[in-house]
Amino acid sequence: EAQVTQNPRYLITVTGKKLTVTCSQNMNHEYMSWYRQDPGLGLRQIYYSMNVEVTDKGDVPEGYKVSRKEKRNFPLILESPSPNQTSLYFCASTPGVSGANVLTFGAGSRLTVL
Amino acid sequence: AQSVTQPDIHITVSEGASLELRCNYSYGATPYLFWYVQSPGQGLQLLLKYFSGDTLVQGIKGFEAEFKRSQSSFNLRKPSVHWSDAAEYFCAVGLWTGNQFYFGTGTSLTVIP
């Protein structure tokens, strides 16, 4: 089944404890991206990647890092999480680099930072 | 400023009633337009999209949307709502540059029996 898989789905952590949210897609998609969803703010893009080793900042990149060493994987790294990063995170991918492509989303990762 | 606006934060409708969710965008050129639905505890799923051509597009689950260039709008409609339509709905745009997508703040739909 074609899908985007995120892990963990739920995580509670403490301020400053580094964590990684993994994202993997099995569709050979070129483009991958991370979003955070907050009440009243909708989805905001954190980082995106148009291909292996090519990443760029979205609208809210502060406090996050990403890497794209393999085409299928696009992990989101929080080096020193803070409470304002408590959010619902989504990874998504599309076949190519075009605004006409449909995003395929993962099921989401709910992160709480205490 | 570039934006996607969904003016209705929350809408409640009775089962069987019609539904219209509003979406306006503000970009220099007509972007690619999408509606996604998010059911509780799940990721977003595409309902429908508009790129060009016929301004009335059909999607899954009986939804349709109409693009109006003069109003920069892309409103979502359904003639008769089912209880299973209760979810959050997001309007989104994809830009010609291809490297970013922008979402509205979402409209939460409650369906009452």
Side-chain angles (χ1 to χ4, degrees), chain B residues 24-101:
Chain B
N24 293 91
Y25 63 90
S26 174
Y27 290 90
T30 300
Y32 303 110
L33 298 163
F34 306 84
W35 275 99
Y36 288 87
V37 61
Q38 182 183 24
S39 298
Q42 298 186 23
L44 282 73
Q45 177 187 18
L46 179 74
L47 277 177
L48 46 78
K49 59 183 187 269
Y50 174 78
F51 295 161
S52 64
D54 192 344
T55 57
L56 186 64
V57 295
Q58 303 297 320
I60 63 172
K61 304 183 180 184
F63 284 91
E64 65 178 26
E66 185 173 15
F67 168 64
K68 292 185 177 180
R69 185 186 303 276
S70 61
Q71 298 177 20
S72 297
S73 69
F74 188 54
N75 294 348
L76 181 71
R77 301 195 294 246
K78 187 169 185 179
S80 178
V81 170
H82 188 262
W83 64 266
S84 61
D85 294 324
E88 186 141 20
Y89 293 81
F90 291 93
C91 181
V93 306
L95 302 186
W96 291 94
T97 53
N99 53 7
Q100 286 186 293
F101 297 85

Side-chain angles (χ1 to χ4, degrees), chain A residues 28-85:
Chain A
N28 201 37
H29 282 178
E30 299 282 338
Y31 179 97
M32 298 184 73
S33 60
W34 277 101
Y35 297 85
R36 60 178 289 173
Q37 182 182 5
D38 301 291
L41 297 177
L43 275 77
R44 294 177 293 166
Q45 191 175 51
I46 303 171
Y47 271 94
Y48 62 94
S49 169
M50 292 190 283
N51 213 328
V52 175
E53 303 291 1
V54 180
T55 63
D56 209 343
K57 296 177 181 179
D59 296 317
V60 289
E62 296 77 19
Y64 305 95
K65 287 175 59 177
V66 293
S67 67
R68 186 97 180 268
K69 294 183 170 56
E70 304 167 282
K71 196 172 188 179
R72 64 182 293 127
N73 295 324
F74 190 47
L76 179 69
I77 303 160
L78 286 72
E79 293 271 3
S80 183
S82 63
N84 64 12
Q85 293 178 296

